[in-house]
Amino acid sequence: MTAAYALRPKVVDFEGTWRGLEESINRIINLQSIDRHVWDDCFHDIYSLCVAIPDPLSEQLYLRTRHCLEAHVRRLYQIVSASQEVDLLSGYYNHWQVYHKGATFIHNLFGYLNKQFIKSRRQAESDLQYGPSALPADRDCQMMEIGELALSIWNQLMVTPLEAELVRQLLLAITADRNGDSTANVDVVKGVIMSFVQVEEFSSRQAEGEQLSLYKKVFEEKFLTATSDHYQAEASRLLAECTVSQYMEKVIQRIDDENMRSRKFLHSSSFEKVTKMCQEVMVSAHKDRLYAVCREMVHNESKIDLKNMYTLLKPIVQGLTVLIKEFEQHVKKSGLDGVQNLKGDNVPQQFVENILAVHHKFNALVAEVFSDDGDFVGALDKALQSAVNFKEESRSCPKASEWVRYCWRSFVGSGGPVGMYVPIVVTVVNVVTVAAPALRHR
């Protein structure tokens, strides 16, 4: 028989052809091996049914395939639902792995039906919609490509009836991991969770941004609620038992651990949500407790505590406001202490050295503790300017400008190499911008 003759439409015995197809479908969906020539025969049989004369048999083929897959998933549901509680997740996961791969193979086998019949039928359904406000028909009644159909059947006949128990056991497994119990099988737990994502991977009807709708509805929403409840209770317990310093250390560790846990079990779309939720219930909800000790920690220049506070408050909207203000006030006070009540013959030089010392000290602290955050760099500059711009009420200009000018004249008039003093004065000028006009009148 020539290839051209084999592709011609012909009369086909549907029942006889379907019996062979059904047997192959059942083997494929169970990942049982079939010979190559059997696969090719199945592909040809599907084509023949779709182009049969006098009428194509595509719709009958679609319905029989659907019923075949439904019967198979119902059998699997009976097996999984009868499992002992401790075996439910592993039973579900093992059957899902097989079914998911098998459904992909069947989707490819039915490529001609998908392309020539189902897509054209969908277009016909779309043409029946009059105007943008028309509502689509019920999804269960719409025609899907075979891969999408297979996963939709899994969702309806396996996920939906087992949803409550599956999610309950998933949350228990994650809670056990959170409490240090490492007995949960990570591959199984993550595999079950990811099945809620994979079950929609063939869907071509999902609007943009809704590809994870089942995952969000079935699992993510419940997980975030349970996790929020857990860390609300954890935050209250830690605050009752620990100092604020200890609390900050433990909260940073809890958030880091939960971020690692998210990457171990969840879909990547949940990572940021988990982090923000932890920050909300353990940091934002208790930020007043952190603010209450902020001044003391800044005054004591407790680098570890300040770094932890910065780490926790940085992601919170306007969370650093109090810390920045306290830091600015502390630098200003340190600057004033360094330029007021100077005595001796070398007051201008003391002024320069003291301002430089304050600047270097807190500039290093900003780099080490606050990661050179621009808000803290700005607060440092503002605080130092306030310190050196300080003037007594009876004076028309700050002492700082006079001292810088005097210091410059002393350096120049000393007869020594001017170059060795220029970097010192330039540094002061960069910190104290109001001193520049005084220098221009030297």
Side-chain angles (χ1 to χ4, degrees):
M1 182 185 296
T2 65
Y5 179 80
L7 294 176
R8 291 178 182 174
K10 60 183 178 181
V11 176
V12 180
D13 175 12
F14 180 84
E15 294 298 335
T17 304
W18 170 249
R19 281 193 293 271
L21 273 175
E22 182 179 29
E23 181 180 352
S24 296
I25 289 172
N26 282 323
R27 291 186 64 83
I28 294 170
I29 201 66
N30 286 298
L31 295 184
Q32 297 172 355
S33 63
I34 60 172
D35 293 336
R36 178 68 190 184
H37 75 86
V38 175
W39 175 274
D40 292 340
D41 288 345
C42 288
F43 196 91
H44 180 264
D45 288 342
I46 291 170
Y47 171 81
S48 298
L49 290 171
C50 290
V51 300
I53 56 176
D55 296 308
L57 300 171
S58 305
E59 187 165 354
Q60 292 95 313
L61 175 61
Y62 178 86
L63 292 175
R64 287 292 185 90
T65 303
R66 177 175 180 170
H67 295 155
C68 177
L69 293 171
E70 288 174 341
H72 177 67
V73 176
R74 286 191 178 97
R75 288 193 294 271
L76 293 182
Y77 170 75
Q78 294 300 323
I79 296 172
V80 174
S81 61
S83 303
Q84 297 291 328
E85 180 175 324
V86 293
D87 299 325
L88 179 65
L89 292 182
S90 59
Y92 172 95
Y93 172 66
N94 291 334
H95 286 296
W96 165 249
Q97 279 192 305
V98 174
Y99 183 85
H100 180 228
K101 292 178 183 177
T104 302
F105 290 135
I106 292 175
H107 177 76
N108 294 332
L109 180 64
F110 277 78
Y112 188 83
L113 181 74
N114 290 333
K115 183 176 180 180
Q116 299 299 326
F117 173 65
I118 297 175
K119 286 187 176 180
S120 62
R121 176 64 67 88
R122 280 183 168 179
Q123 183 60 47
E125 291 174 356
S126 177
D127 291 343
L128 293 175
Q129 304 300 325
Y130 298 101
S133 62
L135 295 175
D138 179 43
R139 178 179 172 83
D140 292 343
C141 299
Q142 293 176 336
M143 191 159 284
M144 301 174 240
E145 293 184 19
I146 296 303
E148 181 182 0
L149 174 67
L151 299 186
S152 176
I153 289 170
W154 180 273
N155 180 27
Q156 295 170 17
L157 302 182
M158 183 70 78
V159 175
T160 299
L162 290 177
E163 175 184 334
E165 186 59 22
L166 284 175
V167 173
R168 187 184 74 84
Q169 292 201 30
L170 289 171
L171 295 180
L172 286 175
I174 295 174
T175 298
D177 183 86
R178 192 176 285 138
N179 293 331
D181 183 352
S182 59
T183 58
N185 188 316
V186 175
D187 291 337
V188 169
V189 174
K190 183 165 187 174
V192 174
I193 293 172
M194 292 303 295
S195 76
F196 304 143
V197 177
Q198 295 165 333
V199 81
E200 293 187 303
E201 67 184 5
F202 282 113
S203 177
S204 60
R205 296 175 186 253
Q206 292 282 10
E208 185 177 356
E210 295 182 358
Q211 292 84 354
L212 299 171
S213 58
L214 182 68
Y215 167 78
K216 293 176 181 178
K217 176 184 176 182
V218 170
F219 176 76
E220 186 188 60
E221 292 177 0
K222 300 177 181 68
F223 169 79
L224 290 176
T225 298
T227 304
S228 176
D229 292 342
H230 172 83
Y231 282 113
Q232 284 180 21
E234 179 75 349
S236 297
R237 183 184 68 80
L238 291 175
L239 284 170
E241 297 176 357
C242 304
T243 64
V244 174
S245 295
Q246 294 169 335
Y247 178 79
M248 291 192 297
E249 290 179 352
K250 292 182 181 297
V251 167
I252 290 173
Q253 186 62 54
R254 297 294 191 276
I255 293 176
D256 288 344
D257 290 345
E258 199 61 35
N259 286 338
M260 292 293 294
R261 191 169 297 109
S262 296
R263 284 147 182 79
K264 183 162 62 174
F265 292 118
L266 308 183
H267 185 266
S268 58
S269 64
S270 298
F271 296 169
E272 185 177 354
K273 297 176 186 177
V274 172
T275 301
K276 287 185 176 180
M277 183 274 299
C278 290
Q279 291 167 343
E280 175 64 29
V281 300
M282 289 194 288
V283 182
S284 185
H286 303 286
K287 61 180 182 293
D288 289 343
R289 295 288 293 272
L290 275 61
Y291 292 157
V293 298
C294 185
R295 177 174 299 179
E296 177 185 353
M297 290 180 176
V298 171
H299 177 74
N300 294 333
E301 298 175 16
S302 307
K303 292 183 178 180
I304 294 177
D305 288 333
L306 291 175
K307 189 175 184 65
N308 289 339
M309 185 173 291
Y310 173 79
T311 299
L312 291 174
L313 293 176
K314 174 67 174 176
I316 308 301
V317 177
Q318 301 295 319
L320 291 173
T321 304
V322 173
L323 182 57
I324 293 171
K325 181 179 178 181
E326 294 295 343
F327 173 74
E328 181 181 329
Q329 292 298 318
H330 180 60
V331 175
K332 179 180 178 181
K333 182 179 183 302
S334 298
L336 288 173
D337 290 343
V339 299
Q340 288 181 323
N341 302 319
L342 297 177
K343 298 178 181 180
D345 298 331
N346 62 342
V347 168
Q349 185 174 348
Q350 292 179 51
F351 161 79
V352 172
E353 293 174 350
N354 290 353
I355 285 297
L356 282 174
V358 172
H359 178 266
H360 289 164
K361 172 184 177 181
F362 288 106
N363 191 55
L365 188 144
V366 168
E368 178 182 354
V369 175
F370 303 126
S371 303
D372 277 325
D373 189 301
D375 289 330
F376 287 90
V377 173
L380 172 59
D381 291 344
K382 185 178 178 182
L384 287 177
Q385 289 178 25
S386 297
V388 298
N389 283 342
F390 172 79
K391 62 182 179 180
E392 299 173 357
E393 293 183 2
S394 61
R395 302 180 64 85
S396 60
C397 66
K399 287 183 179 180
S401 59
E402 296 181 5
W403 287 340
V404 172
R405 183 171 63 238
Y406 181 85
C407 191
W408 175 265
R409 287 174 176 171
S410 298
F411 292 154
V412 173
S414 66
V418 176
M420 68 179 291
Y421 301 111
V422 170
I424 298 177
V425 178
V426 170
T427 302
V428 176
V429 172
N430 287 335
V431 178
V432 191
T433 56
V434 295
L439 291 176
R440 288 198 293 268
H441 293 87
R442 64 183 183 275

